[in-house]
């Protein structure tokens, strides 16, 4: 049969080809910038910064998505008080909107239960969500990352080439050391790093700023330790009135005014 | 994965492979679908037939095989099969979207551990593609 077309039959063994990978790029095609809020450490403020940054960008009139990929310890739903919402099914999954943000999290599927996932499971869950989520056309997709040099970092580098990383550290040498390592990996792989934020600053010191500049990176600014922050978790109006939010808004300005890709 | 999103992923992967291999037409695609994800076959087949309208895939036959989902406990070594009827409706729905959610709801029936591996039948895989190439 094939001969009559002048064609030769061919069988391609594609065993183990994962079809999900090929659609990921397309799903993010109309996403203008992807900002992954990262750190080598946990507890440095990634989730609060990712949430507040998303709200700040949305309040400036941008279309913003927030994607919580800290699958074992998601936090942004608590910060945003995201309850009673779930994605709709439409040729995939469309994230619901909360406080003006297109919001995606594993909590739609796990609820409040513990997710005891190994690294390979987290990677698979991320690939699945990247393949099914329809972000549509948005200006910014902010990603709340798990701590460390995780599978999530490696997967974003591998599969979401237009990701830029935003690093968060505290004033501690211990936190900065993890950021330094993670950043050096990203720089080695020529992945864009927007800059470093020093969070929970409690006393004057230029240590972090000097270190950051010494690495040839942008020091985006510092956020003081804000005692009113804990009270504002789960109450977005209150959160946006904190000094913390005011500082994050200034950072948002800096991030917008700078071309993200170099 | 949602069936339509999945069908889109399959069509896109097949097109990429066909292009890479220089295929003019794709005649047959063999797909393996793991039972853990509880794919609705009717919807998947319909979605594939709707999406394959491009000339490359016009007369492609999709052969879909299902694979039982086998879970193996990392702690005690017990092996068992995932059965939808044994779990609650919401859990099944969540696992349909993200198979890894199995670790949230399912425990090893022998030792109670969530630390098991999905040794077979997790998601959707492309087994082979048959097509025709320009004779040279
Ligand atoms: N600038 C700040 N001032 C006071 N508390 C902060 C500040 N930034 C973060 N926190 C608190 O630190 C803790 C960790 O923040 P979180 O965003 O969960 O960090 P991560 O996501 O990096 O693990 C939270 O209790 C949060 O309220
Ligand atoms: Mg966090
Ligand atoms: Zn067991």
């Amino acid at each position: 049969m094939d001969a009559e077309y002048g064609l030769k039959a061919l069988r391609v063994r594609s065993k183990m080809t994962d079809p999900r990978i090929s659609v990921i790029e397309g799903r993010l095609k109309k996403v203008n910038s992807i900002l992954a809020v990262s750190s080598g450490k946990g507890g440095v403020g990634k989730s609060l910064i990712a949430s507040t940054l998303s709200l700040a960008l949305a309040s400036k009139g941008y279309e913003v998505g927030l994607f919580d990929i800290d699958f074992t310890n998601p936090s942004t739903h608590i910060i945003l008080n995201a309850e009673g919402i779930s994605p709709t099914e439409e040729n995939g999954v469309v994230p619901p909107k909360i406080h003006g943000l297109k919001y995606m999290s594993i909590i739609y599927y796990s609820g409040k239960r513990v997710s005891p996932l190994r690294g390979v499971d987290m990677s698979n869950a991320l690939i699945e969500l990247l393949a099914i989520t329809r972000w549509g056309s948005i200006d910014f997709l902010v990603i709340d990352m798990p701590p460390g040099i995780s599978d999530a970092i490696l997967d974003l580098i591998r599969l979401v080439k237009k990701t830029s990383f935003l690093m968060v550290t505290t004033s501690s040498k211990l936190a900065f050391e993890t950021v330094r390592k993670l950043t050096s990996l990203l720089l080695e792989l020529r992945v864009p790093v927007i800059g470093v934020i020093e969070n929970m600053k409690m006393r004057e010191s230029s240590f972090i700023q000097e270190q950051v500049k010494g690495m040839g990176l942008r020091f985006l600014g510092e956020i003081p330790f804000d005692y009113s922050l804990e009270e504002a978790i789960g109450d977005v109006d209150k959160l946006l009135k904190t000094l913390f939010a005011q500082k994050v808004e200034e950072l948002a300005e800096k991030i917008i005014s700078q071309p993200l890709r170099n | 994965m949602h069936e339509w999103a999945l069908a889109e992923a399959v069509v896109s992967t097949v097109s990429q492979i066909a292009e890479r291999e220089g295929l003019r037409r794709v005649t047959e695609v063999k797909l393996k679908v793991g039972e853990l994800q509880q794919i609705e076959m009717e919807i998947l087949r319909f979605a594939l037939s709707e999406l394959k309208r491009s000339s490359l895939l016009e007369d492609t036959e999709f052969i879909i095989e299902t694979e039982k989902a086998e879970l193996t406990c990392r702690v005690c070594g017990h092996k068992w099969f995932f059965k939808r009827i044994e779990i609650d409706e919401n859990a099944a729905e969540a696992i349909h979207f993200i198979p890894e959610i199995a670790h949230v709801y399912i425990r090893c029936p022998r030792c109670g551990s969530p630390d098991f591996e999905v040794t077979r039948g997790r998601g959707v895989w492309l087994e082979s593609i048959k097509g025709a190439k320009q004779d040279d």
Side-chain angles (χ1 to χ4, degrees):
Chain A
M1 178 187 97
D2 291 324
E4 64 186 271
Y5 293 91
L7 298 174
K8 164 175 93 183
L10 184 84
R11 172 173 287 247
V12 184
R13 288 257 162 229
S14 55
K15 202 160 175 62
M16 305 300 275
T17 301
D18 182 350
R20 299 173 298 172
I21 305 295
S22 73
V23 285
I24 291 176
E25 214 166 292
R27 294 269 183 252
L28 298 167
K29 210 188 211 140
K30 293 185 194 141
V31 176
N32 202 25
S33 316
I34 302 181
L35 313 175
V37 181
S38 313
S39 178
K41 269 229 192 293
V44 297
K46 292 181 297 298
S47 297
L48 266 146
I49 290 173
S51 306
T52 312
L53 176 64
S54 303
L55 293 166
L57 291 168
S59 74
K60 292 179 197 299
Y62 293 104
E63 279 291 333
V64 183
L66 175 61
F67 188 13
D68 190 331
I69 67 169
D70 191 352
F71 296 141
T72 49
N73 289 298
S75 304
T76 52
H77 63 292
I78 301 172
I79 298 166
L80 299 175
N81 190 22
E83 278 195 30
I85 50 170
S86 53
T88 47
E89 276 188 61
E90 208 188 308
N91 296 352
V93 159
V94 180
K97 270 202 165 183
I98 181 158
H99 309 296
L101 310 174
K102 290 187 178 176
Y103 180 61
M104 197 67 191
S105 166
I106 196 170
I107 59 125
Y108 300 138
Y109 308 102
S110 63
K112 287 187 175 148
R113 293 171 196 81
V114 58
S115 313
L117 303 182
R118 283 182 176 255
V120 60
D121 301 321
M122 287 190 253
S123 175
N124 256 319
L126 176 59
I127 293 170
E128 202 72 36
L129 282 176
L130 286 170
I132 64 175
T133 307
R134 302 174 58 115
W135 293 101
S137 145
I138 57 177
D139 299 299
F140 293 96
L141 178 61
V142 178
I143 304 184
D144 185 22
M145 299 290 291
I149 302 179
S150 55
D151 287 61
I153 293 266
L154 299 173
D155 282 328
L156 287 183
I157 295 173
R158 178 168 70 106
L159 302 170
V160 187
K161 298 273 190 302
K162 60 182 173 185
T163 308
S164 303
F165 287 80
L166 192 60
M167 292 292 156
V168 182
T169 182
T170 63
S171 310
S172 169
K173 289 186 188 72
L174 299 180
F176 185 73
E177 177 60 9
T178 70
V179 166
R180 188 191 63 75
K181 282 201 179 129
L182 177 53
T183 310
S184 67
L185 175 71
L186 297 173
L187 296 178
E188 178 191 337
L189 300 175
R190 296 201 163 89
V191 175
V193 177
I194 302 163
V196 180
I197 299 169
E198 182 179 357
N199 187 26
M200 295 197 240
K201 185 137 185 166
M202 295 202 272
R203 59 182 185 83
E204 254 341 288
S205 155
S206 55
F207 173 74
I208 299 290
Q209 186 161 353
E210 282 161 13
Q211 295 289 314
V212 169
K213 289 183 174 157
M215 289 182 75
L217 289 171
R218 253 177 110 208
F219 182 73
L220 288 165
E222 46 192 51
I223 305 173
F225 191 92
D226 181 347
Y227 286 94
S228 68
L229 195 53
E230 186 61 31
E231 279 265 289
I233 292 174
D235 183 338
V236 164
D237 292 332
K238 217 174 197 176
L239 175 64
L240 291 176
K241 289 189 191 111
T242 58
L243 174 64
F244 174 86
Q246 190 189 313
K247 291 291 173 185
V248 173
E249 229 158 275
E250 290 170 21
L251 293 171
E253 285 292 349
K254 275 197 189 170
I255 292 166
I256 300 163
S257 66
Q258 177 82 4
L260 292 178
R261 313 275 308 172
N262 27 17
Chain B
M1 185 191 275
H2 185 281
E3 287 78 358
W4 275 88
L6 166 70
E8 210 179 317
V10 168
V11 167
S12 141
T13 305
V14 171
S15 308
Q16 275 177 15
I17 294 175
E19 195 174 318
R20 193 183 66 211
E21 301 290 333
L23 297 182
R24 289 297 191 78
R25 293 185 299 118
V26 176
T27 48
E28 181 199 282
V29 172
K30 264 201 184 136
L31 270 187
K32 266 259 165 71
V33 175
E35 285 186 355
L36 184 59
Q37 207 154 16
Q38 314 146 64
I39 301 293
E40 297 267 3
M41 286 301 169
E42 293 293 297
I43 306 177
L44 177 63
R45 281 183 195 285
F46 178 70
L48 284 170
S49 67
E50 289 289 300
L51 292 170
K52 69 173 198 180
R53 295 231 171 94
S54 78
S55 57
L56 182 75
L57 295 170
E58 229 167 23
D59 40 32
T60 306
E61 188 193 355
F62 286 95
I63 299 174
I64 306 175
E65 282 172 30
T66 57
E67 184 170 82
K68 276 192 173 311
E70 180 193 64
L71 315 179
T72 306
C73 180
R74 285 193 175 96
V75 178
C76 76
H78 183 63
K79 280 184 198 290
W80 74 103
F81 289 109
F82 166 81
K83 293 198 186 76
R84 183 175 177 143
I85 44 160
E86 287 172 0
I87 58 170
D88 147 314
E89 189 59 35
N90 288 334
E93 166 99 353
I95 294 168
H96 168 63
F97 285 103
I98 309 177
E100 285 59 46
I101 292 292
H103 298 277
V104 173
Y105 295 99
I106 297 174
R107 295 292 179 262
C108 168
R110 190 201 273 169
C111 78
S113 174
D115 188 12
F116 52 82
E117 194 183 342
V118 182
T119 32
R120 287 175 58 188
R122 178 205 173 275
V124 175
W125 302 95
L126 228 65
E127 281 266 306
S128 68
I129 294 172
K130 216 153 94 180
K133 200 172 185 168
Q134 187 73 58
D135 221 340
D136 45 20

